[in-house]
Amino acid sequence: MKKRIGSYPRVRVEGGGRAVVAQAGGVLLVETVRKAGLDDAISAALTPWRKARAVHDAGKVLLDIALSVALGGDCLADVGMLRAEPAVFGPVASDPTVSRLIDTLAGSGERALAAIRSARTEARERVWKLAGDSAPDADGTVTVDLDGVLVIAHSDKEDAAPTWKRTYGHHPLMGFVDHGQGGNGEPVAALLRPGNAGSNTAADHITAAQLALAQLPKKYRRGRRTLIRTDSAGGTHDFVAWLAQRGRWLSYSVGMVITDAIHQHVLRIPASAWTPAVEADGEVRDGAWVAELTGDVLDGWPAGMRLIVRKERPHPGAQLRLTDADGMRPTCFATSTADQPIAELELRHRLRARAEDRIRAARATGLRNLPLHRTAQNKVWLEIVQIALDLLAWMPMLALTGTARLWEPRRLRLRLFTTAGQLVSTGRRRILRLARHWPWTSHITAALERLALLPNPG
């Protein structure tokens, strides 16, 4: 008879290990900050909020919070895991110092938020130049997706309110730059709103679009090279008119609600006018067709707007609607692009679904809840979350290749950032040694080599 010893080996655990570094893979984010020039940019932008005899730089404190969020933290106190590793992250401020800075920035209102955003804009333009062919504007165009996010509040916080999904919390409106099939995306707008804020509020969409455009390089802030995509919440007369305004001339692809007028036009479309929809690989999408609506249904909308409708059988389990003719569900969107076939335009709009992936990544990176009580404080927190998401997008874009560029935050943390290391001092150098048997050590070392080859700021 064999004695059972269990499924896992027994090890003896002792404290007091020397020169052991936890979260050693976080050095990837530190090097990304350095190459992007984000540390210098934020330090310069937050100079007015640094006291004369302060030990810690305000920009460094804010970046430390963002790094802790990128590594998996979800509150200000989680900056303590950086404080425990000064050899990798440098000196980190105490919790009271961190809280005082957030209160100071929150008290300055839009002035502090504008300073943080300007630093992010400066770093973003540099990162896109460093990325070259991997940058989201490599083809000369930029796509920005706007979408709302419901953030649940489990306690009574300022501006928390019942939401349209019968939950309780906030309803921020966010914008993300789409990196396409070869990458993820990066945040460019976060407008904090009460939980009962309307989904199709044109003024909020205009404000979010303005925040997003201000984050882009100057040449993309107007003109057809910038595409704004939204779901049907953006399909309002005021928002579409703002996008198409003379002198702005932005490209747009916005979802539209199937009104009774649109439904009647769809019913009158002859069978010969329907074109098969296509997939991203160019193959025909089975059971889906697209057509363009013309005539008086476009009355009252900006000149040059095209209205494209798609019909497809609802997915299994979906309930049929009164507007589902012959068992086919119509969906509709409007666009200003005039020189592409409607099947390609419909595919481009359907790819807006990637924004849901960006929202999932944001929830896993500090947006699962808003940890602070006052709205002004949570606005600062949203900027911190965006910095963390920026770093999680920039690091793969600059340093990773292949499928690793598509890894979402949780996988990056599990495989790269949580890697342990040993700090060795030899001569005047400090060397961080990673475990040779760890399957993704080669990813970390190769990424650091690519970052090292990039030019330093200035």
Side-chain angles (χ1 to χ4, degrees):
M1 180 177 179
K2 293 185 178 180
K3 184 178 180 182
R4 177 175 173 82
I5 59 174
S7 301
Y8 299 95
R10 294 183 179 180
V11 296
R12 181 177 177 179
V13 179
E14 295 180 352
R18 300 176 60 185
V20 177
V21 178
Q23 302 285 344
V27 71
L28 287 168
L29 297 177
V30 174
E31 288 302 313
T32 302
V33 168
R34 184 178 291 113
K35 293 298 182 178
L38 187 58
D39 49 351
D40 293 336
I42 286 190
S43 294
L46 296 186
T47 298
W49 289 273
R50 180 176 181 177
K51 296 182 179 180
R53 295 188 178 183
V55 175
H56 296 280
D57 178 79
K60 171 67 162 56
V61 175
L62 199 74
L63 269 179
D64 285 341
I65 305 172
L67 284 171
S68 69
V69 172
L71 292 173
D74 62 359
C75 65
L76 297 180
D78 285 335
V79 76
M81 64 180 175
L82 271 65
R83 191 183 303 118
E85 301 294 351
V88 176
F89 302 105
V92 176
S94 65
D95 288 348
T97 300
V98 170
S99 297
R100 282 195 297 268
L101 175 64
I102 298 300
D103 289 340
T104 300
L105 295 177
S108 299
E110 291 299 321
R111 180 165 159 258
L113 299 179
I116 298 172
R117 291 164 184 162
S118 67
R120 292 176 55 220
T121 302
E122 179 183 340
R124 190 182 319 281
E125 187 166 5
R126 172 175 171 78
V127 168
W128 287 13
K129 289 180 179 178
L130 292 177
D133 293 339
S134 298
D137 66 337
D139 63 351
T141 64
V142 174
T143 300
V144 177
D145 293 316
L146 301 181
D147 207 349
V149 186
L150 291 181
V151 181
I152 305 301
H154 298 283
S155 60
D156 190 16
K157 297 178 181 178
E158 189 176 3
D159 284 338
T163 71
W164 60 275
K165 277 197 172 182
R166 299 183 180 179
T167 57
Y168 182 80
H170 297 83
H171 189 189
L173 184 60
M174 300 194 68
F176 300 91
V177 170
D178 185 16
H179 284 193
Q181 294 182 348
N184 290 316
E186 52 192 281
V188 286
L191 179 64
L192 184 58
R193 306 186 298 169
N196 56 3
S199 297
N200 58 347
T201 306
D204 290 345
H205 277 80
I206 292 173
T207 301
Q210 289 172 333
L211 292 175
L213 292 172
Q215 283 293 306
L216 304 180
K218 189 169 295 185
K219 62 182 178 181
Y220 295 117
R221 295 177 188 174
R222 63 179 67 246
R224 298 298 188 194
R225 291 180 295 180
T226 302
L227 173 68
I228 305 294
R229 287 191 305 205
T230 73
D231 56 11
S232 59
T236 60
H237 284 78
D238 290 343
F239 183 55
V240 175
W242 183 87
L243 293 171
Q245 185 176 350
R246 185 179 180 87
R248 187 171 290 115
W249 301 121
L250 294 168
S251 297
Y252 59 84
S253 182
V254 299
M256 302 289 286
V257 176
I258 301 290
T259 62
D260 182 64
I262 293 177
H263 185 229
Q264 294 303 319
H265 276 72
V266 171
L267 295 178
R268 292 197 296 266
I269 298 176
S272 59
W274 291 100
T275 301
V278 297
E279 297 284 11
D281 57 3
E283 297 294 327
V284 172
R285 183 178 177 88
D286 186 35
W289 295 267
V290 294
E292 184 170 359
L293 301 181
T294 58
D296 58 0
V297 73
L298 296 176
D299 291 348
W301 293 95
M305 190 185 89
R306 303 174 69 184
L307 200 58
I308 299 172
V309 63
R310 173 172 66 99
K311 67 175 183 178
E312 186 175 22
R313 192 171 301 279
H315 62 81
Q319 292 184 348
L320 294 178
R321 304 171 183 169
L322 293 176
T323 55
D324 293 344
D326 299 327
M328 307 294 286
R329 173 157 300 172
T331 56
C332 189
F333 71 96
T335 182
S336 59
T337 306
D339 56 350
Q340 291 186 28
I342 59 175
E344 294 181 8
L345 294 175
E346 191 276 330
L347 172 63
R348 184 185 70 175
H349 183 75
R350 197 177 344 126
L351 292 178
R352 194 204 66 82
R354 283 199 284 251
E356 300 298 331
D357 298 331
R358 309 291 83 81
I359 291 175
R360 183 174 62 249
R363 292 186 190 279
T365 310
L367 202 60
R368 183 177 60 85
N369 66 337
L370 298 177
L372 306 173
H373 178 73
R374 293 190 293 117
T375 296
Q377 294 172 319
N378 283 322
K379 286 183 178 180
V380 178
W381 178 260
L382 272 185
E383 295 301 319
I384 292 171
V385 168
Q386 290 181 88
I387 295 174
L389 290 169
D390 280 337
L391 295 177
L392 291 174
W394 294 346
M395 188 279 291
M397 185 165 62
L398 294 175
L400 297 181
T401 60
T403 58
R405 272 203 63 191
L406 300 173
W407 288 352
E408 293 192 2
R410 288 177 178 173
R411 182 162 293 182
L412 288 172
R413 294 173 192 134
L414 182 65
R415 296 186 175 183
L416 302 185
F417 302 153
T418 57
T419 305
Q422 181 183 22
L423 194 64
V424 179
S425 297
T426 170
R428 296 183 179 181
R429 296 185 301 169
R430 289 184 301 176
I431 301 174
L432 186 61
R433 292 179 177 172
L434 306 178
R436 183 179 299 174
H437 65 273
W438 186 247
W440 300 282
T441 294
S442 60
H443 284 74
I444 300 174
T445 55
L448 290 173
E449 290 174 359
R450 295 188 190 97
L451 289 172
L453 294 175
L454 298 176
N456 293 315

